[in-house]
Amino acid sequence: MSMLPESPRVLALANQKGGVGKTTTAINLGTALAAIGEKVLVIDLDPQGNASTGLGIEHRDRGVSTYEVLSGDCSLAEAVRETAVQRLWVAPSTMDLLGLELEIASTSDRAFRLRNAVEGLTRSRLFQEIGFTYVLVDCPPSLNLLTINALSASHSILVPLQCEFFALEGLSQLLSTVEQVNALNSELTIHGIVLTMYDSRNNLSSQVVADVRETMGDAVYETVIPRNVRISEAPSYGKPALLYDLKCAGSQAYLRLASEIIQRERELRRVAA
């Protein structure tokens, strides 16, 4: 009898503020984790579907999307698509997700649709064949029912935070939401905060880094993601930055972040043991 693969670690990438590098981080962190040997599934829960586009999944190829999964019409395994990156898969999204909240608002399991879908995935033939080790959930830029589903299904939350003036203000709002979601998911913890769009020529960027580190301490990853033209260009080619230009500063930063996340995971397992 073959051994079943262990359940994957589920990380939600969330920040109710738009334009902080959340989807960019989902795409490139997923690629970086795959590059160092992990088997990664990115679940796109943003109706804009930018993570799907950035991983090369055209709109016409999204026949089964996360909308069908959360509405109960299909299993998560049926929505999974291969990407051009080895060991990286994606469950794409469509604009149909915009209407989901109204459709499921009156159902008793409305906050647990994604959790149930991920549990179903771990029992599927696809999971037995692949054995995903990480699931990254790209959340929409708002604290709506889609984000609540992501947080209810996740072990930890990874917060991308742009190096700008109001960064900490948005963070406090998100942290209070995490406290509220603990009633639905007592396991949920903050895995870490990743500072994005850092501009070394800008004094404000350095000040934000210092302030966030002082406020949040060890929760902030050592790795800082720089503002980088190659990272911005890559999605228009339907590629992660690591495929578009592996040697650019942004790609190298995401590889360091992936290593740091793996290291934190080892420490968490050691403490749990």
Side-chain angles (χ1 to χ4, degrees):
M1 184 177 155
S2 63
M3 291 281 289
L4 287 174
E6 279 187 38
S7 293
R9 289 287 291 170
V10 185
L11 306 181
L13 284 87
N15 190 329
Q16 74 277 13
K17 203 169 177 311
V20 298
K22 186 172 45 57
T23 297
T24 301
T25 298
I27 293 169
N28 291 298
L29 176 59
T31 304
L33 286 167
I36 58 178
E38 302 294 335
K39 293 175 180 175
V40 185
L41 171 63
V42 173
I43 297 178
D44 192 347
L45 274 201
D46 189 341
Q48 293 175 73
N50 291 337
S52 311
T53 306
L55 287 169
I57 309 298
E58 300 283 349
H59 286 277
R60 64 175 177 272
D61 297 328
R62 301 180 200 179
V64 177
S65 70
T66 49
Y67 166 75
E68 280 79 20
V69 174
L70 296 187
S71 61
D73 294 336
C74 291
S75 70
L76 182 52
E78 289 173 271
V80 172
R81 298 274 179 281
E82 287 184 356
T83 71
V85 180
Q86 196 176 3
R87 294 186 295 275
L88 180 65
W89 291 260
V90 63
S93 82
T94 62
M95 294 292 277
D96 292 339
L97 274 178
L98 286 170
L100 183 82
E101 194 155 351
L102 280 174
E103 287 178 38
I104 67 172
S106 59
T107 62
S108 59
D109 67 342
R110 60 187 174 274
F112 301 107
R113 295 290 181 102
L114 185 63
R115 181 194 287 187
N116 296 339
V118 171
E119 285 175 359
L121 177 70
T122 61
R123 295 190 297 269
S124 70
R125 182 185 292 257
L126 180 74
F127 186 72
Q128 288 180 39
E129 289 170 1
I130 295 172
F132 298 109
T133 53
Y134 279 89
V135 174
L136 305 180
V137 187
D138 186 32
C139 298
S142 56
L143 297 174
N144 59 14
L145 190 53
L146 291 169
T147 302
I148 299 298
N149 262 272
L151 299 183
S152 298
S154 298
H155 298 104
S156 290
I157 176 171
L158 192 157
V159 186
L161 206 65
Q162 187 179 354
C163 293
E164 59 155 34
F165 186 63
F166 290 115
L168 279 168
E169 192 177 285
L171 181 62
S172 61
Q173 209 178 335
L174 183 66
L175 294 177
S176 67
T177 302
V178 171
E179 279 180 30
Q180 290 163 15
V181 172
N182 275 134
L184 302 172
N185 177 7
S186 58
E187 272 187 42
L188 187 68
T189 58
I190 300 286
H191 196 283
I193 295 158
V194 57
L195 291 157
T196 63
M197 302 184 194
Y198 175 75
D199 186 346
S200 57
R201 300 161 303 177
N202 184 334
N203 287 338
L204 177 61
S205 273
S206 301
Q207 188 59 53
V208 170
V209 171
D211 289 351
V212 175
R213 288 199 191 285
E214 188 181 339
T215 307
M216 299 305 298
D218 291 342
V220 187
Y221 298 110
E222 283 298 316
T223 305
V224 175
I225 309 299
R227 190 177 286 281
N228 184 257
V229 173
R230 307 298 272 173
I231 286 183
S232 306
E233 289 173 350
S236 63
Y237 292 89
K239 289 180 179 181
L242 280 86
L243 277 194
Y244 181 62
D245 184 353
L246 177 60
K247 292 193 167 70
C248 77
S251 294
Q252 292 299 307
Y254 277 114
L255 283 168
R256 287 195 301 277
L257 179 63
S259 298
E260 201 174 337
I261 283 169
I262 297 290
Q263 187 57 40
R264 283 200 185 191
E265 286 291 310
R266 285 196 191 114
E267 287 167 17
L268 286 169
R269 279 198 289 270
R270 188 171 49 77
V271 169

